[in-house]
Amino acid sequence: MTSVTASAQARQGGGGRGGNAFAGIDWNKPFPAHKIVGNMYFVGSEQLGSFLITTPEGHILINSDYEETVPVIRAAVEKLGFKFSDIKILLGSHAHPDHMTGDALVKQLTGATVMAMAEDVPALNNIRPGGKPHPIDRVLHGGDTVSLGGTTLTAHLTPGHTKGCTTWTFKTSENGKAYDVVVVGSLSLNAANLGDNPGYPNIREDFVKSFKVMRSLPADVFVGSHNGFYQMAQKYALLEKGGPNPFIDPAGYKALIDSSEKAYFDRIEELKTGSRGQ
């Protein structure tokens, strides 16, 4: 599977509607819900990665996206034959509006337990759609696990894009074979100021640590908070044609990290030479 290029990856995941690079994008345009592997399903929009992990005791949702995306997610869940009200746990990738603004609404509709990485809690407390406080029922730390109905996810702190950017891993099985799944938080530079950044003075060190963590994770299948990270549309088209599961793509995972790391060091070099403003 061909990986995203460094430049394309670097443009993904900028934290929402704020920049010119995202002008004209319909963040909430529906995309067909589909099975990825095992008990994991895609339930997001054309642009935003939201994932349902089903279990006999209820379901886990990763990423509520915008409030306006929540009805899109709900319709996708129901299209797959599951009940939206059976979502028991809500997780997130990182504290940007395009991934976690809908947390309060999902909690209101389902009663789900909302969990978030400690380093992202201050930023999440500033995401208050309509003035509603951001619900956080459990504060997570790197290495913590979340379990439901025989499925256990591990939260890996992969900061840089945000201070609490979280990459999730878990194991699933299909046709008698086990698979390692990675849900990439983000390695994108788009929202990151790698220059003089008093609000995040150790951002460079965090990115470097995150590349190391990501490389250490076994990945048969990977997805991400933005669908361009893992070429969702192209893989879905292949899925529709039948044949081998295109989401089983360990080489694509490595290529994503390679391209992200290259974009990072290219940006550092630009800052050193002054070829681009900070």
Side-chain angles (χ1 to χ4, degrees):
M1 186 67 60
T2 303
S3 169
V4 289
T5 64
S7 59
Q9 192 279 336
R11 288 195 298 270
Q12 292 283 347
R17 299 164 172 160
N20 292 333
F22 304 102
I25 291 178
D26 182 356
W27 295 100
N28 305 309
K29 183 178 179 180
F31 191 89
H34 54 272
K35 182 178 180 178
I36 296 170
V37 67
N39 61 334
M40 184 187 199
Y41 300 81
F42 175 84
V43 293
S45 70
E46 186 178 77
Q47 299 292 329
L48 302 174
S50 295
F51 306 97
L52 187 74
I53 300 165
T54 62
T55 88
E57 297 177 12
H59 313 314
I60 300 168
L61 178 66
I62 300 178
N63 291 335
S64 65
D65 305 331
Y66 290 114
E67 277 208 326
E68 300 94 327
T69 325
V70 172
V72 175
I73 296 171
R74 181 173 188 168
V77 170
E78 293 173 351
K79 181 74 172 178
L80 291 167
F82 302 109
K83 293 182 179 179
F84 192 71
S85 58
D86 283 342
I87 293 172
K88 304 301 183 185
I89 296 173
L90 175 59
L91 308 174
S93 290
H94 56 270
H96 279 160
D98 48 341
H99 304 296
M100 299 182 74
T101 301
D103 285 9
L105 181 55
V106 170
K107 183 173 181 63
Q108 176 187 330
L109 294 172
T110 67
T113 299
V114 182
M115 305 182 188
M117 192 67 80
E119 289 83 353
D120 261 356
V121 168
L124 287 172
N125 285 333
N126 290 324
I127 299 178
R128 301 168 60 92
K132 295 189 292 288
H134 201 105
I136 301 174
D137 301 307
R138 178 184 170 190
V139 175
L140 300 169
H141 301 87
D144 282 356
T145 58
V146 175
S147 297
L148 182 69
T151 295
T152 297
L153 288 82
T154 301
H156 302 270
L157 178 61
T158 50
H161 190 70
T162 68
K163 294 178 181 180
C165 188
T166 307
T167 292
W168 292 96
T169 61
F170 70 102
K171 291 182 180 291
T172 191
S173 60
E174 186 169 277
N175 299 324
K177 184 173 181 180
Y179 295 96
D180 287 301
V181 180
V182 178
V183 184
V184 178
S186 182
L187 292 173
S188 170
L189 305 182
N190 207 69
N193 176 8
L194 299 181
D196 183 19
N197 191 342
Y200 195 169
N202 60 325
I203 187 171
R204 295 190 186 189
E205 292 84 355
D206 274 359
F207 265 112
V208 171
K209 289 177 185 176
S210 292
F211 295 134
K212 183 176 181 180
V213 169
M214 297 292 285
R215 290 193 187 281
S216 75
L217 303 176
D220 300 306
V221 175
F222 78 105
V223 295
S225 57
H226 284 269
N227 300 324
F229 289 171
Y230 68 106
Q231 294 185 301
M232 182 264 289
Q234 295 93 320
K235 288 179 177 176
Y236 176 74
L238 292 173
L239 186 71
E240 288 290 276
K241 293 179 181 179
N245 186 340
F247 294 105
I248 300 171
D249 184 20
Y253 176 69
K254 181 180 182 300
L256 174 66
I257 300 170
D258 287 345
S259 66
S260 301
E261 196 167 32
K262 182 179 184 303
Y264 169 82
F265 283 110
D266 285 351
R267 177 69 176 124
I268 296 298
E269 190 60 31
E270 288 170 352
L271 290 169
K272 288 179 180 178
T273 61
S275 59
R276 180 175 162 191
Q278 295 185 18

